[in-house]
Amino acid sequence: MPRPRSLSPDRLAAAALAVLDRDGLAALSMRAVAAELGMSTMALYRYVRDREELELLVVELVLAGVDTAPPPAGLPWRERIEVLVRRMRDTLSAHPSVVPLTVSHRHHSLGVLRWSETVLTVLAGAGFEGGRRVVALRALIAYVNGALQLEHLGALSGAGTAAISDLPADEFPLMAATARDARRVDAEREFFGGLAVLLRGLE
Amino acid sequence: MPRPRSLSPDRLAAAALAVLDRDGLAALSMRAVAAELGMSTMALYRYVRDREELELLVVELVLAGVDTAPPPAGLPWRERIEVLVRRMRDTLSAHPSVVPLTVSHRHHSLGVLRWSETVLTVLAGAGFEGGRRVVALRALIAYVNGALQLEHLGALSGAGTAAISDLPADEFPLMAATARDARRVDAEREFFGGLAVLLRGLE
DNA sequence: CCTCGTAGGTGTACGACGTACGCCTACAAG
DNA sequence: CTTGTAGGCGTACGTCGTACACCTACGAGG
């Protein structure tokens, strides 16, 4: 019977995402999101319990955008998983600042659950059962999480690699050499090369 | 010619680590570390430029504790890498609150560089060269990072898995089943099972 | 032994953060 | 038209990182 809500959780999350995409993770604050929506800071607390819940909404919004439809049935199972992982990566690459948030909020996200369900479907179809299936799924999630963070916090093309390549050659001969090679490995090859290794190991 | 320093970077880092181990990551603040040392907050700024540099010192201190000596030469190369990864995991498991910090400060840590150099030595000995070696190292780092975070933020034995196991069975049949299986997979098997998959894929 | 400059250590203060609390008010049901 | 519920807002508190100005302990040069 009272006054109707003027905001949907989606609009709230969209405002937070706009702040993230424009100004980065450090700029995400209750005040910034409120300003983005043209309302007062405290008004947000009619929609979320605290900042953490707002972060979860953003993660939900982004991950809900991942296509979790079963990948083409004609493909071998390893390529079907690669399709699923690629969809996840493409979605998160469009919003790099969200990547760190996904780590802590993964468990509570419906989007992740749906994606995982589809991955499990492929794994089950490939004959994975019981503990082996658990290990396979968790290894995939661990790799994707870790690789996406590496990609957005310390890309191979970044300053870190450059700094490494002129390390003292006597103590770090291989690091220096590998850093030089690394400049010729782009992000795509790094990410999917590693994924291919993992999938080969699952066979 | 002036007054000598009363603190070493190591003592500073040790104080911060004590706070982390006792009260967790959220409790780490310049004020808390200063109190731990019995000095004023601002005195810390004679030793570090800002909070980030203090975090780096902690990561350095912890990662310097990882044994980077070449693993037993008698072992096959995959087992030698497993030994190196196990050392890294053991060290970080003793200080779980440090794990999130390692992600952002990895690049600047001598400890990580030394560890990576040793891993590269094993990889080179196994015949990995050029781009393949880069991809192998990065995949290992991505997996270890991701798996350690999963382990400390959402362990399989935790509430997340329990919540998943009673999800709507019609929409998430495999998730529910897999969560039930997951309760019988301990952290050790999860971590090294995934690592074994990755190493098998490298072969 | 006595300066004296350098750098260690401190206290205060500022702006930003998350958020508890209490108030006003717009609205839909009666 | 009344009225209760919940939306929205302003203020305020405690915490954070840290800029700045100030004392002061100390080792080198006289």
Side-chain angles (χ1 to χ4, degrees):
Chain A
M1 70 170 77
R3 192 169 169 182
R5 308 205 135 214
S6 68
L7 238 57
S8 67
D10 259 25
R11 266 188 52 72
L12 219 183
L17 184 57
V19 173
L20 279 170
D21 287 342
R22 180 169 14 93
D23 304 319
L25 181 55
L28 182 69
S29 69
M30 301 303 277
R31 283 168 173 84
V33 174
E36 183 76 22
L37 287 165
M39 45 193 335
S40 84
T41 307
M42 293 311 293
L44 300 186
Y45 287 88
R46 296 284 170 188
Y47 298 87
V48 290
R49 192 200 323 274
D50 52 21
R51 182 199 160 110
E52 194 180 336
E53 200 170 301
L54 188 150
E55 292 179 356
L56 179 59
L57 281 183
V58 180
V59 172
E60 275 289 297
L61 175 66
V62 171
L63 263 32
V66 180
D67 182 3
T68 54
L75 265 40
W77 68 267
R78 291 198 319 205
E79 288 177 41
R80 268 183 289 164
I81 289 192
E82 195 187 312
V83 167
L84 286 167
V85 170
R86 176 168 260 123
R87 288 179 188 164
M88 174 71 81
R89 175 168 179 264
D90 287 347
T91 300
L92 284 174
S93 292
H95 308 283
S97 299
V98 178
V99 171
L101 297 180
T102 61
V103 178
S104 34
H105 298 294
R106 242 184 28 78
H107 334 291
H108 309 291
S109 158
L110 259 177
V112 164
L113 294 181
R114 270 193 282 266
W115 183 85
S116 300
E117 179 74 20
T118 309
V119 171
L120 283 176
T121 307
V122 176
L123 287 175
F128 286 87
E129 297 294 337
R132 278 187 67 233
R133 197 206 285 157
V134 173
V135 170
L137 177 65
R138 294 282 284 191
L140 272 167
I141 293 176
Y143 174 76
V144 171
N145 266 356
L148 286 176
Q149 285 179 64
L150 277 196
E151 189 170 340
H152 293 291
L153 289 173
L156 273 183
S157 55
T161 302
I164 288 173
S165 62
D166 39 45
L167 235 41
D170 50 344
E171 200 182 354
F172 299 100
L174 287 170
M175 284 295 278
T178 307
R180 278 192 298 276
D181 292 336
R183 276 198 290 259
R184 280 185 292 276
V185 177
D186 64 6
E188 174 93 4
R189 180 173 165 210
E190 179 192 355
F191 184 92
F192 289 103
L195 179 64
V197 168
L198 192 64
L199 292 175
R200 235 168 63 83
L202 281 175
E203 196 78 71
Chain B
M1 70 168 77
R3 193 167 167 183
R5 307 205 135 217
S6 68
L7 238 56
S8 67
D10 260 24
R11 264 187 54 70
L12 217 184
L17 184 57
V19 172
L20 279 170
D21 286 342
R22 182 171 9 95
D23 304 319
L25 180 56
L28 182 69
S29 71
M30 301 304 275
R31 284 168 173 87
V33 174
E36 183 77 22
L37 288 165
M39 43 192 339
S40 84
T41 306
M42 293 311 293
L44 301 186
Y45 287 86
R46 296 285 169 186
Y47 298 87
V48 291
R49 189 199 324 273
D50 52 22
R51 182 201 160 109
E52 193 180 335
E53 201 170 301
L54 188 149
E55 292 179 356
L56 179 60
L57 281 183
V58 180
V59 172
E60 275 290 298
L61 176 65
V62 171
L63 263 34
V66 180
D67 182 4
T68 55
L75 265 39
W77 69 267
R78 290 199 320 204
E79 289 177 39
R80 268 184 288 163
I81 289 192
E82 194 187 313
V83 166
L84 286 167
V85 170
R86 175 167 260 124
R87 287 178 189 165
M88 175 69 83
R89 175 169 179 263
D90 286 348
T91 300
L92 284 174
S93 293
H95 308 283
S97 300
V98 177
V99 171
L101 297 180
T102 60
V103 177
S104 34
H105 298 294
R106 241 183 29 78
H107 333 289
H108 310 290
S109 159
L110 260 177
V112 164
L113 294 181
R114 270 194 282 265
W115 183 86
S116 301
E117 179 74 20
T118 309
V119 171
L120 284 175
T121 308
V122 176
L123 287 175
F128 285 87
E129 296 295 336
R132 277 188 67 233
R133 197 206 284 156
V134 173
V135 169
L137 177 65
R138 294 283 286 191
L140 271 167
I141 293 177
Y143 174 76
V144 171
N145 267 355
L148 285 176
Q149 283 179 65
L150 278 196
E151 189 170 338
H152 293 292
L153 289 173
L156 274 184
S157 55
T161 303
I164 289 173
S165 61
D166 38 46
L167 233 44
D170 51 342
E171 199 183 353
F172 299 101
L174 287 169
M175 284 296 277
T178 307
R180 278 192 299 275
D181 293 335
R183 276 198 290 258
R184 280 186 291 275
V185 178
D186 64 7
E188 174 92 6
R189 182 177 163 206
E190 179 191 354
F191 184 92
F192 289 103
L195 179 64
V197 167
L198 193 64
L199 291 175
R200 236 168 64 84
L202 281 174
E203 196 77 70

